[in-house]
Amino acid sequence: MRIEEIDKNFVPASIGDLQLHYLEVGAGSLMPRGLAWYEQDKQFCRLPQAALSSLSEGVQGLAWHTAGAQLRFKSDCLHLALQVELRGPSNMPHMPASGQSGFDLYLGSGRDKQYVKTAIPPYGADKFEQLLFSQSQAEMQEFTLNFPLYNGVKQLRLGFSPGAELCAASPQAVKNPVLFYGSSITQGGCASRPGNAYPQLLAQQLDFQCLNLGFSGNAKGEPRMAELIAGLDLAALVLDYDHNAPTPEHLEQTHYPFYSLIRARQPQLPIIMMSMPDVDLKLEAANVRRYIIEQSYKKAVAEGDKNVYMIDGFKLFGKSYRDACTVDGVHPNDLGFQRMAECLQPCLARVLRVEA
């Protein structure tokens, strides 16, 4: 028996006989954000097409996952629907389809945004259409739609009620984007929906554009990746790839050089170094890795860097119910991500010069 047959709360909103005008995402007021090279390549890809062949096979594939991508626009539409073709069906046993392949919608501007709904693909589907929003009277609203964390998008269209106005969203408080480079945790595994991954939580709380370069199992501090990051005009960089360094030796050999390559190109860029959050089941190993990152930080400070900061991963999950912060002892759930965002927010707000 299908759950929606016995509990109507699980039935997706029906489009039924609604008359909708569909627009292709990728132009005008429907230009995606959070994809640094979209304007150049016109692809739902987190890395530039010309650079993919110079990166690992894992990064080449994961680059098509749309973590951090979003749409922001204003409209007075009575109805808003989504029509999407994904790169594949949901297939992760420890992450809900709503986070892996869903789109979540918020209303409001600046920091005053309210979650409305998540569009979730049916079981086994890679194409679906869903009604996201309805209102009884035409009123101009600001919409933010977050893309899937662990799936890619081949085609995306939004359906608006006929005659609806569509225009650009309000400018964000922070002009340039904040980039997060790191592991599966950075990418958003295993949030229940895209807006609950810690980079997106921070982007909403502090009102900035997020560039998520989390590459599950494949962020290893490669010089080529540092070069790509160094070429972007950023407000801040969060360096969070501890988890993907296969050994402490690899972390030690790559961490400071990765920072140093970026710092040479961008002397004033605020850089926040982080160690891994899931430490309780591997205290000794986590201590070793934290020490390596701390040494990178101290060396940078000793060389006169006044724009480098460190977040101790041992503090990211807080003090109480730490074992309730992950789905599998490693990947945060929504509670874990919320605590990570709360821990990181004061430092990030300070470097962005906005109120925490």
Side-chain angles (χ1 to χ4, degrees):
M1 178 177 290
R2 294 164 59 86
I3 187 66
E4 55 265 39
E5 294 175 0
I6 58 175
D7 187 342
K8 299 305 179 185
N9 290 312
F10 285 95
V11 177
S14 174
I15 294 175
D17 296 328
L18 289 177
Q19 297 296 311
L20 298 172
H21 176 59
Y22 277 90
L23 298 176
E24 196 82 25
V25 169
S29 298
L30 293 181
M31 182 71 70
R33 294 168 63 81
L35 300 172
W37 293 274
Y38 185 86
E39 192 170 341
Q40 168 186 302
D41 294 337
K42 299 296 187 290
Q43 296 286 340
F44 295 124
C45 185
R46 293 184 289 153
L47 291 172
Q49 301 299 290
L52 287 179
S53 62
S54 65
L55 297 162
S56 71
E57 185 176 346
V59 169
Q60 290 180 43
L62 291 164
W64 294 95
H65 291 183
T66 51
Q70 64 177 204
L71 288 172
R72 299 178 63 246
F73 58 90
K74 289 181 180 179
S75 179
D76 63 350
C77 59
L78 294 176
H79 307 287
L80 175 67
L82 170 150
Q83 195 177 76
V84 62
E85 180 179 2
L86 299 168
R87 289 195 162 265
S90 302
N91 57 5
M92 297 175 70
H94 59 326
M95 184 171 181
S98 51
Q100 180 186 356
S101 304
F103 294 75
D104 61 356
L105 179 69
Y106 290 76
L107 287 183
S109 61
R111 298 185 181 191
D112 187 22
K113 295 186 182 74
Q114 180 68 44
Y115 166 72
V116 176
K117 187 172 182 177
T118 307
I120 309 169
Y123 179 76
D126 59 5
K127 297 179 183 178
F128 68 104
E129 182 180 33
Q130 281 187 23
L131 182 65
L132 277 170
F133 170 79
S134 291
Q135 60 182 354
S136 57
Q137 294 183 332
E139 176 186 353
M140 188 63 72
Q141 308 255 24
E142 186 160 315
F143 296 83
T144 299
L145 183 68
N146 292 312
F147 283 43
L149 295 168
Y150 267 79
N151 206 336
V153 176
K154 287 186 176 181
Q155 185 181 44
L156 177 62
R157 303 167 74 218
L158 293 187
F160 296 85
S161 43
E165 288 190 44
L166 179 63
C167 57
S170 306
Q172 292 184 287
V174 180
K175 179 182 177 182
N176 293 331
V178 176
L179 191 147
F180 297 78
Y181 173 68
S183 68
S184 55
I185 295 174
T186 317
Q187 187 174 335
C190 292
S192 68
R193 52 185 176 83
N196 285 348
Y198 90 83
Q200 278 318 105
L201 286 171
L202 287 164
Q204 178 182 332
Q205 292 163 4
L206 300 180
D207 195 26
F208 60 79
Q209 179 184 179
C210 168
L211 299 180
N212 188 323
L213 294 189
F215 298 103
S216 186
N218 282 271
K220 299 180 181 179
E222 304 94 333
R224 181 62 176 129
M225 186 65 69
E227 291 170 358
L228 291 171
I229 292 172
L232 297 172
D233 193 4
L234 303 172
L237 166 65
V238 178
L239 193 54
D240 179 28
Y241 80 93
D242 177 2
H243 236 303
N244 283 174
T247 64
E249 292 76 21
H250 180 98
L251 184 62
E252 187 171 22
Q253 291 164 8
T254 61
H255 197 271
Y256 188 82
F258 192 91
Y259 148 82
S260 185
L261 195 157
I262 296 170
R263 176 55 78 226
R265 294 270 299 274
Q266 299 210 28
Q268 301 304 318
L269 175 67
I271 297 178
I272 301 172
M273 301 176 178
M274 281 174 52
S275 58
M276 66 172 66
D278 53 308
V279 302
D280 293 5
L281 299 179
K282 49 194 173 194
L283 286 172
E284 185 175 350
N287 262 312
V288 171
R289 288 171 173 268
R290 176 174 64 174
Y291 176 78
I292 291 168
I293 294 170
E294 188 177 28
Q295 292 308 111
S296 285
Y297 166 71
K298 287 182 175 179
K299 183 177 180 181
V301 171
E303 292 178 347
D305 193 337
K306 299 184 184 304
N307 259 327
V308 64
Y309 308 85
M310 180 175 173
I311 300 293
D312 181 358
F314 279 65
K315 298 179 180 179
L316 286 170
F317 284 164
K319 295 182 178 179
S320 62
Y321 299 103
R322 291 175 58 87
D323 61 353
C325 287
T326 74
V327 301
D328 54 7
V330 176
H331 298 96
N333 52 27
D334 290 353
L335 173 63
F337 277 129
Q338 180 63 45
R339 290 190 174 175
M340 290 180 71
E342 288 172 353
C343 184
L344 185 55
Q345 191 199 73
C347 179
L348 189 54
R350 185 165 67 252
V351 304
L352 296 176
R353 299 180 181 179
V354 296
E355 185 177 345

